[in-house]
mmCIF file of all heavy atoms in Angstrom:
data_model
loop_
_atom_site.group_PDB
_atom_site.id
_atom_site.type_symbol
_atom_site.label_atom_id
_atom_site.label_comp_id
_atom_site.label_asym_id
_atom_site.label_seq_id
_atom_site.Cartn_x
_atom_site.Cartn_y
_atom_site.Cartn_z
ATOM 1 N N TYR L 146 -1.800 3.300 -0.768
ATOM 2 C CA TYR L 146 -1.871 2.582 -2.042
ATOM 3 C C TYR L 146 -1.231 3.614 -3.042
ATOM 4 O O TYR L 146 -1.658 4.613 -3.341
ATOM 5 C CB TYR L 146 -3.272 2.294 -2.464
ATOM 6 C CG TYR L 146 -4.105 1.533 -1.458
ATOM 7 C CD1 TYR L 146 -4.898 2.026 -0.544
ATOM 8 C CD2 TYR L 146 -3.965 0.113 -1.565
ATOM 9 C CE1 TYR L 146 -5.589 1.213 0.345
ATOM 10 C CE2 TYR L 146 -4.585 -0.720 -0.623
ATOM 11 C CZ TYR L 146 -5.420 -0.189 0.305
ATOM 12 O OH TYR L 146 -6.056 -0.985 1.211
ATOM 13 N N VAL L 147 -0.173 3.081 -3.724
ATOM 14 C CA VAL L 147 0.580 3.810 -4.688
ATOM 15 C C VAL L 147 0.482 3.084 -5.976
ATOM 16 O O VAL L 147 0.922 1.974 -6.156
ATOM 17 C CB VAL L 147 2.117 3.968 -4.338
ATOM 18 C CG1 VAL L 147 2.880 4.794 -5.346
ATOM 19 C CG2 VAL L 147 2.243 4.571 -2.961
ATOM 20 N N TYR L 148 -0.332 3.714 -6.884
ATOM 21 C CA TYR L 148 -0.574 3.061 -8.179
ATOM 22 C C TYR L 148 0.397 3.550 -9.226
ATOM 23 O O TYR L 148 0.521 4.756 -9.408
ATOM 24 C CB TYR L 148 -2.004 3.328 -8.666
ATOM 25 C CG TYR L 148 -2.988 2.739 -7.678
ATOM 26 C CD1 TYR L 148 -3.666 3.489 -6.698
ATOM 27 C CD2 TYR L 148 -3.331 1.354 -7.785
ATOM 28 C CE1 TYR L 148 -4.592 2.916 -5.876
ATOM 29 C CE2 TYR L 148 -4.290 0.800 -6.842
ATOM 30 C CZ TYR L 148 -4.913 1.615 -5.895
ATOM 31 O OH TYR L 148 -5.666 0.992 -5.074
ATOM 32 N N VAL L 149 1.136 2.642 -9.938
ATOM 33 C CA VAL L 149 2.151 3.061 -10.939
ATOM 34 C C VAL L 149 1.912 2.192 -12.128
ATOM 35 O O VAL L 149 1.883 0.971 -12.147
ATOM 36 C CB VAL L 149 3.628 2.596 -10.332
ATOM 37 C CG1 VAL L 149 4.671 3.083 -11.249
ATOM 38 C CG2 VAL L 149 3.767 3.238 -8.936
ATOM 39 N N PRO L 150 1.744 2.940 -13.258
ATOM 40 C CA PRO L 150 1.335 2.329 -14.537
ATOM 41 C C PRO L 150 2.487 1.304 -15.052
ATOM 42 O O PRO L 150 2.224 0.220 -15.576
ATOM 43 C CB PRO L 150 1.244 3.427 -15.597
ATOM 44 C CG PRO L 150 0.840 4.605 -14.729
ATOM 45 C CD PRO L 150 1.513 4.464 -13.459
ATOM 46 N N SER L 151 3.806 1.701 -14.824
ATOM 47 C CA SER L 151 4.827 0.748 -15.246
ATOM 48 C C SER L 151 4.898 -0.609 -14.568
ATOM 49 O O SER L 151 5.411 -1.526 -15.178
ATOM 50 C CB SER L 151 6.207 1.391 -15.217
ATOM 51 O OG SER L 151 6.425 1.747 -13.866
ATOM 52 N N LEU L 152 4.252 -0.741 -13.380
ATOM 53 C CA LEU L 152 4.208 -2.032 -12.697
ATOM 54 C C LEU L 152 3.307 -3.012 -13.424
ATOM 55 O O LEU L 152 3.477 -4.137 -13.267
ATOM 56 C CB LEU L 152 3.732 -1.806 -11.304
ATOM 57 C CG LEU L 152 4.782 -1.297 -10.271
ATOM 58 C CD1 LEU L 152 4.132 -1.088 -8.922
ATOM 59 C CD2 LEU L 152 6.034 -2.089 -10.218
ATOM 60 N N CYS L 153 2.348 -2.465 -14.306
ATOM 61 C CA CYS L 153 1.473 -3.382 -15.010
ATOM 62 C C CYS L 153 2.152 -4.323 -15.973
ATOM 63 O O CYS L 153 1.706 -5.413 -16.304
ATOM 64 C CB CYS L 153 0.352 -2.587 -15.669
ATOM 65 S SG CYS L 153 -0.553 -1.510 -14.585
ATOM 66 N N GLN L 154 3.459 -3.890 -16.407
ATOM 67 C CA GLN L 154 4.142 -4.737 -17.324
ATOM 68 C C GLN L 154 5.015 -5.763 -16.629
ATOM 69 O O GLN L 154 5.583 -6.588 -17.252
ATOM 70 C CB GLN L 154 5.032 -3.811 -18.125
ATOM 71 C CG GLN L 154 4.317 -2.708 -18.874
ATOM 72 C CD GLN L 154 3.124 -3.295 -19.733
ATOM 73 O OE1 GLN L 154 3.255 -4.236 -20.419
ATOM 74 N NE2 GLN L 154 1.925 -2.625 -19.634
ATOM 75 N N HIS L 155 5.236 -5.577 -15.397
ATOM 76 C CA HIS L 155 6.126 -6.546 -14.559
ATOM 77 C C HIS L 155 5.414 -7.918 -14.408
ATOM 78 O O HIS L 155 4.189 -7.932 -14.110
ATOM 79 C CB HIS L 155 6.377 -5.950 -13.200
ATOM 80 C CG HIS L 155 7.454 -6.657 -12.503
ATOM 81 N ND1 HIS L 155 7.336 -7.849 -11.879
ATOM 82 C CD2 HIS L 155 8.744 -6.328 -12.333
ATOM 83 C CE1 HIS L 155 8.417 -8.274 -11.333
ATOM 84 N NE2 HIS L 155 9.408 -7.325 -11.603
ATOM 85 N N PRO L 156 6.064 -8.993 -14.638
ATOM 86 C CA PRO L 156 5.435 -10.308 -14.552
ATOM 87 C C PRO L 156 4.760 -10.586 -13.195
ATOM 88 O O PRO L 156 3.766 -11.330 -13.213
ATOM 89 C CB PRO L 156 6.644 -11.314 -14.755
ATOM 90 C CG PRO L 156 7.754 -10.565 -15.197
ATOM 91 C CD PRO L 156 7.463 -9.064 -14.977
ATOM 92 N N PHE L 157 5.275 -10.090 -12.126
ATOM 93 C CA PHE L 157 4.618 -10.317 -10.862
ATOM 94 C C PHE L 157 3.247 -9.598 -10.616
ATOM 95 O O PHE L 157 2.505 -9.996 -9.750
ATOM 96 C CB PHE L 157 5.547 -9.905 -9.651
ATOM 97 C CG PHE L 157 6.763 -10.707 -9.435
ATOM 98 C CD1 PHE L 157 7.846 -10.286 -8.929
ATOM 99 C CD2 PHE L 157 6.670 -12.130 -9.756
ATOM 100 C CE1 PHE L 157 8.965 -11.035 -8.684
ATOM 101 C CE2 PHE L 157 7.837 -12.930 -9.560
ATOM 102 C CZ PHE L 157 8.915 -12.379 -9.005
ATOM 103 N N PHE L 158 3.037 -8.601 -11.504
ATOM 104 C CA PHE L 158 1.754 -7.832 -11.261
ATOM 105 C C PHE L 158 0.760 -8.120 -12.360
ATOM 106 O O PHE L 158 -0.356 -7.488 -12.423
ATOM 107 C CB PHE L 158 2.078 -6.321 -11.304
ATOM 108 C CG PHE L 158 2.915 -5.933 -10.123
ATOM 109 C CD1 PHE L 158 4.281 -6.047 -10.132
ATOM 110 C CD2 PHE L 158 2.284 -5.503 -9.063
ATOM 111 C CE1 PHE L 158 5.014 -5.620 -9.013
ATOM 112 C CE2 PHE L 158 3.041 -5.200 -7.899
ATOM 113 C CZ PHE L 158 4.332 -5.222 -7.818
ATOM 114 N N ARG L 159 1.102 -9.058 -13.369
ATOM 115 C CA ARG L 159 0.085 -9.421 -14.375
ATOM 116 C C ARG L 159 -0.986 -10.415 -13.842
ATOM 117 O O ARG L 159 -0.650 -11.315 -13.042
ATOM 118 C CB ARG L 159 0.835 -10.060 -15.553
ATOM 119 C CG ARG L 159 1.587 -9.000 -16.340
ATOM 120 C CD ARG L 159 2.094 -9.744 -17.621
ATOM 121 N NE ARG L 159 3.240 -8.944 -18.147
ATOM 122 C CZ ARG L 159 4.334 -9.462 -18.572
ATOM 123 N NH1 ARG L 159 4.499 -10.765 -18.633
ATOM 124 N NH2 ARG L 159 5.267 -8.612 -19.037
ATOM 125 N N ALA L 160 -2.196 -10.191 -14.251
ATOM 126 C CA ALA L 160 -3.183 -11.114 -13.911
ATOM 127 C C ALA L 160 -2.942 -12.463 -14.635
ATOM 128 O O ALA L 160 -2.466 -12.413 -15.779
ATOM 129 C CB ALA L 160 -4.554 -10.556 -14.196
ATOM 130 N N PRO L 161 -3.284 -13.531 -14.043
ATOM 131 C CA PRO L 161 -3.040 -14.830 -14.673
ATOM 132 C C PRO L 161 -4.058 -14.887 -15.971
ATOM 133 O O PRO L 161 -5.068 -14.373 -15.992
ATOM 134 C CB PRO L 161 -3.498 -15.899 -13.690
ATOM 135 C CG PRO L 161 -4.428 -15.159 -12.806
ATOM 136 C CD PRO L 161 -3.916 -13.693 -12.733
ATOM 137 N N VAL L 162 -3.445 -15.396 -17.022
ATOM 138 C CA VAL L 162 -4.178 -15.645 -18.294
ATOM 139 C C VAL L 162 -4.725 -17.034 -18.396
ATOM 140 O O VAL L 162 -4.017 -18.052 -18.152
ATOM 141 C CB VAL L 162 -3.229 -15.353 -19.470
ATOM 142 C CG1 VAL L 162 -4.004 -15.649 -20.797
ATOM 143 C CG2 VAL L 162 -2.685 -14.002 -19.445
ATOM 144 N N SER L 163 -6.042 -17.136 -18.390
ATOM 145 C CA SER L 163 -6.678 -18.557 -18.540
ATOM 146 C C SER L 163 -6.574 -18.983 -19.944
ATOM 147 O O SER L 163 -6.859 -18.220 -20.858
ATOM 148 C CB SER L 163 -8.162 -18.447 -17.995
ATOM 149 O OG SER L 163 -8.833 -17.532 -18.777
ATOM 150 N N LYS L 164 -6.152 -20.213 -20.069
ATOM 151 C CA LYS L 164 -6.070 -20.755 -21.368
ATOM 152 C C LYS L 164 -7.322 -21.440 -21.795
ATOM 153 O O LYS L 164 -8.013 -22.120 -20.974
ATOM 154 C CB LYS L 164 -4.892 -21.754 -21.412
ATOM 155 C CG LYS L 164 -3.510 -21.193 -21.117
ATOM 156 C CD LYS L 164 -2.483 -22.246 -21.132
ATOM 157 C CE LYS L 164 -1.103 -21.494 -20.867
ATOM 158 N NZ LYS L 164 -0.048 -22.524 -20.824
ATOM 159 N N LYS L 165 -7.702 -21.239 -22.981
ATOM 160 C CA LYS L 165 -9.024 -21.845 -23.523
ATOM 161 C C LYS L 165 -8.585 -23.191 -24.086
ATOM 162 O O LYS L 165 -7.589 -23.377 -24.755
ATOM 163 C CB LYS L 165 -9.717 -20.968 -24.586
ATOM 164 C CG LYS L 165 -10.242 -19.781 -24.002
ATOM 165 C CD LYS L 165 -10.895 -18.940 -25.152
ATOM 166 C CE LYS L 165 -11.365 -17.630 -24.539
ATOM 167 N NZ LYS L 165 -12.140 -16.802 -25.563
ATOM 168 N N GLN L 166 -9.424 -24.201 -23.805
ATOM 169 C CA GLN L 166 -9.239 -25.558 -24.337
ATOM 170 C C GLN L 166 -10.419 -25.931 -25.116
ATOM 171 O O GLN L 166 -11.622 -25.671 -24.719
ATOM 172 C CB GLN L 166 -8.891 -26.537 -23.306
ATOM 173 C CG GLN L 166 -7.666 -26.271 -22.596
ATOM 174 C CD GLN L 166 -7.302 -27.369 -21.613
ATOM 175 O OE1 GLN L 166 -8.031 -28.232 -21.318
ATOM 176 N NE2 GLN L 166 -6.049 -27.213 -21.013
ATOM 177 N N VAL L 167 -10.277 -26.551 -26.266
ATOM 178 C CA VAL L 167 -11.344 -26.977 -27.119
ATOM 179 C C VAL L 167 -11.607 -28.442 -26.793
ATOM 180 O O VAL L 167 -10.694 -29.189 -26.834
ATOM 181 C CB VAL L 167 -11.084 -26.778 -28.567
ATOM 182 C CG1 VAL L 167 -12.172 -27.342 -29.440
ATOM 183 C CG2 VAL L 167 -10.764 -25.334 -28.793
ATOM 184 N N VAL L 168 -12.866 -28.753 -26.595
ATOM 185 C CA VAL L 168 -13.260 -30.197 -26.374
ATOM 186 C C VAL L 168 -14.051 -30.591 -27.491
ATOM 187 O O VAL L 168 -15.098 -29.956 -27.845
ATOM 188 C CB VAL L 168 -14.090 -30.306 -25.029
ATOM 189 C CG1 VAL L 168 -14.510 -31.764 -24.839
ATOM 190 C CG2 VAL L 168 -13.258 -29.797 -23.928
ATOM 191 N N ARG L 169 -13.599 -31.681 -28.171
ATOM 192 C CA ARG L 169 -14.345 -32.197 -29.272
ATOM 193 C C ARG L 169 -14.910 -33.594 -28.901
ATOM 194 O O ARG L 169 -14.230 -34.418 -28.348
ATOM 195 C CB ARG L 169 -13.483 -32.439 -30.437
ATOM 196 C CG ARG L 169 -12.971 -31.082 -31.039
ATOM 197 C CD ARG L 169 -12.236 -31.298 -32.268
ATOM 198 N NE ARG L 169 -11.533 -30.105 -32.733
ATOM 199 C CZ ARG L 169 -10.832 -29.911 -33.690
ATOM 200 N NH1 ARG L 169 -10.601 -30.964 -34.564
ATOM 201 N NH2 ARG L 169 -10.255 -28.847 -34.035
#
Side-chain angles (χ1 to χ4, degrees):
Y146 299 97
V147 183
Y148 297 99
V149 183
S151 60
L152 284 179
C153 299
Q154 304 308 314
H155 192 285
F157 288 152
F158 293 88
R159 289 188 196 138
V162 177
S163 61
K164 296 179 181 178
K165 292 182 182 180
Q166 295 185 353
V167 177
V168 177
R169 292 185 191 183

